[in-house]
Amino acid sequence: MNDMTITRAEREAKLEGMGCKRKRVEDIRFTQGKGNYVDDVKLPGMLHGDFVRSPHPHARIKSIDKEKALKVPGVLAVLTAEDLKGVNLAWMPTLAGDVQMVLADGKVLFQNQEVAFVVATDRYAADDGINAVEVEYEALPVLVDPFHAMDADAPVLREDLEGKTEGAHGPRKHHNHIFEWTVGDRDLTDAAFRKAEVTIKEMISYHRTHPSPLETCQCLCSFDKVKGELTIYGTFQAPHVIRTVVALIAKIPEHKIHVIAPDIGGGFGNKVGAYPGYICAAVASIVTGRPVKWVEDRIENLCATSFARDYHMTTEIAATKEGKVTGLRVHVLADHGAFDACADPSKWPAGFFNIVTGSYDFPTAHLAVDGVYTNKAPGGVAYRCSFRVTEAAYCIERAMDILAQKLGMDPAELRLKNFIRQEQFPYHSALGWEYDSGDYHTAMKKMMDTVDYAGLRREQAEKRAAFRRGETREIMGLGISFFTEIVGAGPSKNCDILGIAMFDSCEIRLHPTGAGIARMGTKSQGQGHETTWAQIIATEIGIPADDIMVEEGNTDTAPYGLGTYGSRSTPVAGAAIAMAARKVKAKAQMIAAYRLEVHEDDLEWDIDGFRVKGLPEKFLGMKDICWIAYNAPPPGMEPGLEAVSYYDPPNMTYPFGAYLCVMDIDVDTGVYKVRRFYALDDCGTRINPMIIEGQVHGGLTEAFAIAMGQEIRYDENGNVVTGSFMDFFLPTAVETPHWETDFTVTPSPHHPIGAKGVGESPNVGGVPAFSNAVNDAFSFLGSTHIQMPHDFWRNWQAAKALGAV
Ligand code: MCN
Ligand code: CUM
């Protein structure tokens, strides 16, 4: 019966549904040290594996001598490529259609490459074993600079591809070439450039970097010889995909593989791919008959598992002298390292980089991407990136500022002039996407009003004048970024991973007493899914979020899904949750109609139950309906109340945002200070504003790190020189600026609850804001583009080169 003693608002508040700043339920265990991570899982008889890694970036392996290592107390086995060949696992397929060595086969192609896997009774013995393995190398010429990868005399890196003129994505032009990917209309774009009144051209590099989850990559494999079953605990962002890949390459029936991703201490894309450690631990478990754990250390994580970016983007814009853009031409040189192990949907060798037209109405555009091999670690894409959208946003947002500078126009004004207008949505971009919804002018103006943009520009003009008069050594920069993202891979018509369509799923099962469990194909690594998914269900079916348990990450119980990355969970699984909830609700409505003795159509939904239209006292709450479903369902109806939905989205979602960074730089030291950072995000319907804010804070901090210093750098001999937290910039609370967040709400028209993704937006939008701030600060001294990362030393170098020091 309806509880008439509480108000509608109170009933609604009790649900803690969508829009509520519900506190994160998972934090109860995390803040008490009760999380359960892979390294917390300990199985009887468990062994530990660790890698012998190459000190050389490019060398032939003359010999590997295991003899001494096998005599080290505690060492049980040493695996090399020769051993893996016996089970056909010396090489493994990558998600990008390439193959990758699991253990060095004949030669090594990057520093710290996996050469041998030592298995021992504990980690210390494994480490002693590693030091006792004797490997004889013959150094080969090293290729570091991607711009020389396709030189006629460039060393041959991939001997396994010798003579192969076709790659996974078409013809190869050179022995170090991986693919060329082109999109757009070349002739129309060339014509636009011929007619242009103003053009700009700049080579904009987005340097190589790496995510830094607190928990590194790791797994625990346990093969049960009697049952023929393999259980893998791992830090996996996409557990089902791992299960399918293992079934395909290890030839174990898929139902006999149990993949469990327990709590994950951050992923940021680092845990999408498959790494040699997983294969070696599995093989070692099969060989020894005992569980084998592999846990990376920090240096291994930074140097060997999936890097990010390394895109070198030659960018040209054609425009009228009034500042209307007429064409965009981009050529990308993509450094993929030794193997193309990019984690993209299979058909997209450069991810969704063709979102590079950004938020602007470009009538025509052309894009070409060349992927090349170098002697660097493989990987690509991972790191809060939504498949190269980060690179694309940086490219266009930097280029728009360069164009504004050439036109002598304010960069905000140039953007306002070229935005896709609200009435143009759904908008078809020149490079092939259909943007679902947006209201860019409103967001931009809200940003400009809130920060007093005009006032900041006046202050900057005064500071510049004072600098010229020699009254100050500080310069001021305003960095605008207006980004459009594309997230929610994806519609099966254009997205798959190794042939599996990129849908996602949800199964909701309500119990007799009105509580329930929901299971998804996604896997939270810190995004708070246990909190937010229950909120969607609460609003959809009127059961309080606290009464819904959310479970992810166990392939035996979760419905098949493609996992969490590319901010796809809300756009895809979030939709599946709403659809499954609606199926449950439809059955509940039949039960209510039967109980209330009316036709279903005479019922209306009212917060937490059904009411007979026009008869407010005739009400049946969802909790009661749950009981009835198990106790006395209508005749002919199956008992129980549950549903599953596999959701294939009709389109992706296009969140956007307007960011502004105000920065002061001391030219004599290069020391910068982020005085203010404002971030307005529009991710459509907001499920949990507090979680969104947390996502934005985290993503902005990563963007700050990347733009201002974080880098995986190689010296000219191929040595990694930033392979530990001593040299790799990881901002702490001391360096991190204060974040101001704001929002507008433009729902996605095709998503059941109107929500778009948000997790990656702050990284996508943040990097150009920081870099534009630095570039804007220096622009009045005559510079057009300074490459990232903008650390103190490089800022000082820039000031010196411009004659300011
Ligand atoms: N959300 C919301 N309302 C919206 C959109 C999202 O309340 N309109 C909430 C969601 O319910 C979810 C969170 O925000 O709890 C992030 O949702 P979404 O944008 O769909 O992104 P995913 O859940 O798919 O997470 C992936 C994204 C990626 S790709 C990286 S990389 C990243 C990120 O999330 N890695 C993270 N944020 C991270 N945050 C933490 N703590 N740890 C990581 O490893
Ligand atoms: Cu590319 S980082 Mo996130 O997609 O897991």
Side-chain angles (χ1 to χ4, degrees), residues 506-550:
C506 171
E507 180 199 274
I508 299 172
R509 180 175 303 168
L510 295 179
H511 309 319
T513 55
I517 181 166
R519 293 183 167 119
M520 257 69 56
T522 47
K523 175 63 207 172
S524 185
Q525 310 119 44
Q527 294 90 341
H529 291 175
E530 286 167 58
T531 306
T532 50
W533 297 161
Q535 290 182 260
I536 300 177
I537 297 171
T539 296
E540 288 287 338
I541 61 175
I543 298 276
D546 274 347
D547 291 337
I548 302 290
M549 184 170 94
V550 170

Side-chain angles (χ1 to χ4, degrees), residues 237 268-269 272 381-386 564-566 760:
Q237 291 182 226
F268 308 111
V272 174
V381 159
Y383 198 177
R384 219 127 174 188
C385 58
S386 36
T564 291
Y565 42 85
E760 307 206 312

Side-chain angles (χ1 to χ4, degrees), residues 267-268 526-527 529 532 566 569-570 685 687-688 695 756 758-760:
F268 308 111
Q527 294 90 341
H529 291 175
T532 50
S569 303
T570 302
T685 305
I687 302 162
N688 183 327
Q695 287 291 305
K756 303 180 179 186
V758 76
E760 307 206 312

Side-chain angles (χ1 to χ4, degrees), residues 654-666:
Y654 296 74
F656 56 94
Y659 290 5
L660 184 92
C661 172
V662 185
M663 195 184 289
D664 298 307
I665 303 172
D666 181 322

